[in-house]
Amino acid sequence: SAVISQKPSRDICQRGTSLTIQCQVDSQVTMMFWYRQQPGQSLTLIATANQGSEATYESGFVIDKFPISRPNLTFSTLTVSNMSPEDSSIYLCSVETGPLNEQFFGPGTRLTVL
Amino acid sequence: AQSVAQPEDQVNVAEGNPLTVKCTYSVSGNPYLFWYVQYPNRGLQFLLKYITGDNLVKGSYGFEAEFNKSQTSFHLKKPSALVSDSALYFCAVYNQAGTALIFGKGTTLSVSS
């Protein structure tokens, strides 16, 4: 298994500002993912972040709004830029690892935009 | 496109009774199916997955799931529910690239004592 931590665990932000969420894994992993879970909704994949290459964004998500960094095999950041109340969600980091290529999830970052 | 559907928003069951949380899938190619559970204020936890082989998959916390190709279903089951099983359950399938998960909308399981 993998132990994943995220910072911050929660934040309340003002409209128009940006927040960077950090994801740290206790082992080296090739693939990291960022998901969004809007209130009362399921999880939606934002992007896949591989070390050494540009993140791959899903339909409806763009790099200018959600820039991602992946400087090494244990760390990634997701920035939510120019926030609006519609960005209020839980943002989850995930990694694929282990002999069965399971996906493990971090505890999430609960973001509220006022 | 790959997708999963969870037809029930909520499932209510009494403690000690068997429980079933339903999931149907639509995929191109072989389905790689998963169940995750989300307890309040906690992250997602992996329960089990089906890749190939035996249609009955056993997972964590006494849960199992039955893969049924003819009915395109992957229902989650447990013979005897516990109050502590109350949580939000997600069915998921790998995307076509086989790299990331596509989740159903989730089913809230409520087990009463």
Side-chain angles (χ1 to χ4, degrees):
Chain A
S1 67
V3 177
I4 304 169
S5 60
Q6 288 185 232
K7 290 182 182 179
S9 58
R10 58 177 63 222
D11 207 342
I12 300 173
C13 301
Q14 296 297 319
R15 180 196 298 261
T17 62
S18 298
L19 176 72
T20 295
I21 302 168
Q22 299 179 6
C23 176
Q24 180 76 53
V25 190
D26 68 341
S27 58
Q28 294 185 339
V29 295
T30 301
M31 304 190 74
M32 296 181 76
F33 308 89
W34 286 98
Y35 287 83
R36 180 174 74 180
Q37 186 178 18
Q38 293 178 300
Q41 304 289 320
S42 184
L43 283 79
T44 302
L45 180 65
I46 298 172
T48 302
N50 293 333
Q51 195 266 337
S53 63
E54 292 285 329
T56 303
Y57 289 82
E58 297 298 302
S59 176
F61 297 96
V62 295
I63 188 171
D64 290 346
K65 176 68 175 177
F66 296 101
I68 289 171
S69 77
R70 182 79 202 274
N72 57 52
L73 291 174
T74 63
F75 187 79
S76 178
T77 68
L78 169 76
T79 299
V80 186
S81 303
N82 188 24
M83 288 183 286
S84 66
E86 292 72 32
D87 294 320
S88 297
S89 293
I90 299 173
Y91 292 86
L92 297 107
C93 171
S94 168
V95 304
E96 184 179 89
T97 188
L100 301 179
N101 287 333
E102 296 169 14
Q103 280 206 11
F104 296 91
F105 286 80
T109 296
R110 184 180 294 270
L111 171 62
T112 302
V113 184
L114 304 178
Chain B
Q2 322 290 78
S3 67
V4 290
Q6 294 180 245
E8 303 156 317
D9 290 335
Q10 176 134 1
V11 170
N12 299 309
V13 65
E15 187 174 32
N17 284 357
L19 69 87
T20 299
V21 183
K22 295 180 180 177
C23 173
T24 58
Y25 65 87
S26 174
V27 301
S28 301
N30 295 321
Y32 294 165
L33 297 159
F34 303 78
W35 277 101
Y36 282 82
V37 59
Q38 187 175 40
Y39 297 101
N41 299 316
R42 291 168 62 179
L44 250 65
Q45 295 180 32
F46 171 83
L47 278 179
L48 52 82
K49 75 175 182 181
Y50 173 83
I51 301 296
T52 187
D54 196 346
N55 289 343
L56 185 64
V57 180
K58 294 190 182 297
S60 307
Y61 312 122
F63 284 93
E64 59 189 27
E66 186 171 9
F67 173 71
N68 187 317
K69 188 173 183 178
S70 62
Q71 296 185 5
T72 62
S73 66
F74 188 57
H75 300 333
L76 182 70
K77 300 182 180 184
K78 188 173 183 180
S80 178
L82 300 172
V83 172
S84 57
D85 292 329
S86 299
L88 182 57
Y89 291 80
F90 289 100
C91 181
V93 64
Y94 261 144
N95 62 5
Q96 208 146 3
T99 54
L101 292 168
I102 298 170
F103 286 85
K105 65 180 175 63
T107 298
T108 299
L109 173 67
S110 178
V111 182
S112 57
S113 57

